[in-house]
Amino acid sequence: MISGPSGAGKGTLVSAALEALPSLSLSISATTRSPRQGDIEGKTYYFITDEQFDNLIEERGLLEWAEVHGFRYGTLVDQVNNTLEAGRDLILELDFQGFEQIKNYRDDVFSIFIVTPSMDVLRRRLERRGTDNLESIEERLIAAELEMQAKDSYNVVIVNDNLEKAKQELIHVISQQIRQ
Ligand code: 5GP
């Protein structure tokens, strides 16, 4: 289970871990936000309507869900169960609210938090990424401050100041967990 503020490089790091560790699968969440540049239906998220999200909650189809930056995101029960039953290791990318819920659901969850060296670095990365407008960047920075307060409750914190180093650290930490 991996968290970290938007723009901390989670996506890039998780992709590197998935490539390096073939037994690992990524849980694809459902979300009510619209696809951004680079998003692929069923690969980055399942993009669904508010009504479909309500139905999933009602049918108990979500292991956890939370509202993040004004949209809802949730982990699909079926997907988690199918992956674990197939004997594969699963990586969940959730915000800290999701982490709190998952922690109560299973006690064998290993949690990793990714941070940037400073808020200035985070701001620059969000601006450079160019996928969010100014208002959305400000919202993400406020959310990042909040999210950072939760970092000490994670098993490991990885500082992404050097991408290659952070990739190796993440791969090392995950591979230690999946060999147990
Ligand atoms: P983004 O819109 O940038 O893809 O994601 C925004 C935030 O939502 C990120 O912090 C991400 O970790 C979180 N998120 C993505 N999927 C889920 C999910 O299924 N549950 C929860 N609780 N958070 C999620």
Side-chain angles (χ1 to χ4, degrees):
M1 177 345 358
I2 189 159
S3 293
S6 185
K10 266 175 307 174
T12 313
L13 292 174
V14 168
S15 300
L18 289 168
E19 212 171 290
L21 304 166
S23 77
L24 200 61
S25 290
L26 176 67
S27 162
I28 311 296
S29 300
T31 182
T32 58
R33 92 153 156 75
S34 308
R36 283 199 296 249
Q37 198 188 345
D39 272 320
I40 301 168
E41 166 71 24
K43 268 208 129 192
T44 47
Y45 286 104
Y46 295 103
F47 295 95
I48 63 173
T49 62
D50 264 313
E51 196 185 343
Q52 288 171 316
F53 206 96
D54 288 338
N55 289 339
L56 275 174
I57 295 173
E58 205 165 303
E59 294 159 4
R60 300 189 183 282
L62 297 175
L63 206 55
E64 62 73 40
W65 71 270
E67 191 172 315
V68 189
H69 316 310
F71 297 100
R72 291 185 290 174
Y73 296 79
T75 303
L76 297 159
V77 172
D78 284 352
Q79 197 174 110
V80 169
N81 289 345
N82 292 345
T83 309
L84 294 180
E85 275 161 25
R88 295 182 62 78
D89 298 296
L90 188 63
I91 185 159
L92 303 172
E93 196 197 312
L94 312 177
D95 82 319
F96 66 98
Q97 308 170 76
F99 169 50
E100 289 299 324
Q101 296 171 59
I102 289 282
K103 233 180 10 187
N104 296 333
Y105 169 74
R106 285 180 77 110
D107 52 16
D108 61 347
V109 173
F110 188 85
S111 55
I112 302 166
F113 194 89
I114 310 281
V115 289
T116 49
S118 72
M119 290 304 276
D120 278 349
V121 173
L122 188 61
R123 175 186 290 276
R124 280 202 296 276
R125 283 197 193 156
L126 284 170
E127 285 168 356
R128 209 174 335 130
R129 188 162 81 170
T131 49
D132 303 287
N133 59 33
L134 266 185
E135 193 187 333
S136 163
I137 288 177
E138 291 309 324
E139 272 172 24
R140 278 164 196 269
L141 286 170
I142 293 167
E145 298 260 17
L146 262 179
E147 182 126 25
M148 295 284 277
Q149 290 170 15
K151 74 178 194 310
D152 294 336
S153 35
Y154 287 73
N155 292 119
V156 168
V157 177
I158 295 178
V159 182
N160 182 11
D161 50 356
N162 170 307
L163 189 58
E164 268 323 301
K165 222 176 95 221
K167 274 183 193 171
Q168 292 316 317
E169 202 176 333
L170 180 66
I171 292 166
H172 175 71
V173 165
I174 298 177
S175 57
Q176 274 187 328
Q177 290 307 312
I178 60 186
R179 278 200 206 110
Q180 279 174 9

